[in-house]
């Protein structure tokens, strides 16, 4: 069973409404964290968005449920409307079976062993999720570099490393220091340029000391205005 992580970014005021939406469709695990948007003023104005506090919510779904959720986010939750939010789905390469079983609902057909279900054909990802971990207070440096390479905006989560005392550094990053995680959804064609710009302008040789990686996105919702 393919398992997907669905990451939804909404206004904080709407977070409980979206959490209830996911629970109504059988997602037993919905985790949320407060975040901040980084879109510049001209983009916010173009999309009709406000620089309000955001909420990042994470839940999990198999392929069939993921497709339904992404459709319903558009039709039922109106996520394509201005200042509503965006959602992306990231496939897992693997998951511990006992834990994965608790993350997604199991239907009677699943219990019976539904052999008629079609496997999802491999698809070329149109978008990628770029994640940057940098020193606290240097989000602007990261986003300035990313925007110069074509990124529209990002979402920031404040974090702190939890590494062992003996492991003081990981890829040059100080584990225990205050960190910020910057999430950027970018078109696949722009991914390399954005990641290269962040490394060159806010990487290990800068005060931001940023580490950058990307994850493939197999489904999206809420990007209609951006694509238009």
């Amino acid at each position: 069973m393919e398992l997907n992580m669905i990451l939804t970014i909404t206004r904080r005021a709407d977070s409980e409404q979206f959490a209830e939406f996911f629970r109504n469709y059988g997602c037993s695990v919905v985790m949320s964290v407060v975040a901040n948007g980084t879109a510049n003023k001209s983009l916010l104005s173009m999309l009709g968005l406000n620089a309000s506090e955001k909420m990042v919510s994470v839940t999990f779904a198999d392929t069939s449920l993921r497709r339904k959720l992404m459709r319903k986010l558009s039709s039922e939750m109106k996520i394509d409307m201005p200042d509503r939010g965006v959602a992306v789905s990231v496939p897992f390469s693997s998951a511990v079976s006992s834990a994965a079983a608790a993350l997604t609902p199991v239907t009677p057909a699943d219990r019976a062993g539904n052999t008629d279900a079609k496997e999802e054909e491999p698809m070329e990802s149109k978008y990628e999720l770029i994640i940057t971990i940098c020193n606290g207070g240097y989000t602007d440096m990261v986003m300035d570099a990313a925007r110069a390479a074509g990124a529209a905006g990002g979402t920031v989560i404040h974090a702190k490393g939890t590494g062992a005392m003996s492991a003081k550094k990981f890829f040059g990053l100080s584990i225990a220091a205050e960190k910020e995680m910057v999430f950027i959804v970018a078109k696949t064609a722009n991914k390399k340029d954005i990641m290269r710009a962040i490394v060159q302008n806010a990487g290990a040789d800068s005060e931001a000391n940023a580490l950058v990686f990307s994850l493939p996105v197999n489904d999206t919702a809420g990007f209609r205005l951006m694509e238009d």
Side-chain angles (χ1 to χ4, degrees):
M1 178 183 69
E2 182 188 273
L3 194 62
N4 304 270
M5 178 183 70
I6 298 178
L7 187 148
T8 309
I9 302 171
T10 65
R11 294 179 303 183
R12 187 176 184 181
D14 298 334
S15 60
E16 185 53 40
Q17 183 181 2
F18 277 87
E20 185 66 20
F21 161 82
F22 287 116
R23 287 192 291 266
N24 287 341
Y25 280 96
C27 299
S28 57
V29 177
V30 181
M31 298 172 288
S32 301
V33 61
V34 177
N36 294 303
T38 64
N40 59 34
K41 292 181 179 179
S42 60
L43 179 67
L44 289 171
S45 176
M46 181 182 72
L47 297 180
L49 302 176
N50 298 316
S52 57
E53 207 168 35
K54 306 296 181 184
M55 185 71 78
V56 176
S57 300
V58 176
T59 190
F60 305 90
D62 62 18
T63 299
S64 177
L65 181 58
R66 180 260 295 175
R67 289 171 175 165
K68 177 185 290 185
L69 289 173
M70 301 306 273
R71 290 196 307 268
K72 294 296 184 179
L73 280 168
S74 294
S75 63
E76 184 176 322
M77 299 301 291
K78 310 299 182 185
I79 200 170
D80 286 309
M81 297 296 290
D83 203 18
R84 189 67 171 149
V86 296
V88 297
S89 170
V90 178
F92 281 179
S93 61
S94 62
V96 178
S97 59
S98 60
L103 296 177
T104 56
V106 180
T107 67
D110 293 327
R111 294 191 185 96
N114 185 0
T115 58
D116 296 328
K118 295 181 179 179
E119 292 185 5
E120 185 173 17
E121 296 182 2
M123 58 172 285
E124 184 176 349
S125 179
K126 185 177 180 180
Y127 290 93
E128 295 239 355
L129 176 62
I130 300 172
I131 301 177
T132 303
I133 304 173
C134 67
N135 289 334
Y138 289 93
T139 299
D140 288 344
M141 183 182 291
V142 170
M143 287 308 306
D144 286 346
R147 287 195 190 98
T155 301
V156 182
I157 294 176
H158 300 284
K160 186 175 182 179
T162 59
M165 292 297 292
S166 58
K168 293 183 179 180
K169 287 188 177 292
F170 174 73
F171 285 102
L173 296 175
S174 176
I175 295 292
E178 293 292 330
K179 300 294 179 185
E180 288 176 344
M181 298 180 67
V182 184
F183 294 82
I184 300 171
V185 180
K187 290 188 175 181
T188 301
N190 298 335
K191 179 196 69 172
K192 290 183 179 179
D193 289 340
I194 293 172
M195 294 180 71
R196 185 182 298 113
I198 293 173
V199 170
Q200 291 176 346
N201 295 279
D205 295 331
S206 73
E207 293 180 327
N209 202 15
L211 169 69
V212 190
F213 59 95
S214 69
L215 298 171
V217 170
N218 59 7
D219 212 343
T220 63
F223 286 86
R224 182 177 59 83
L225 286 176
M226 184 75 70
E227 292 176 350
D228 290 345

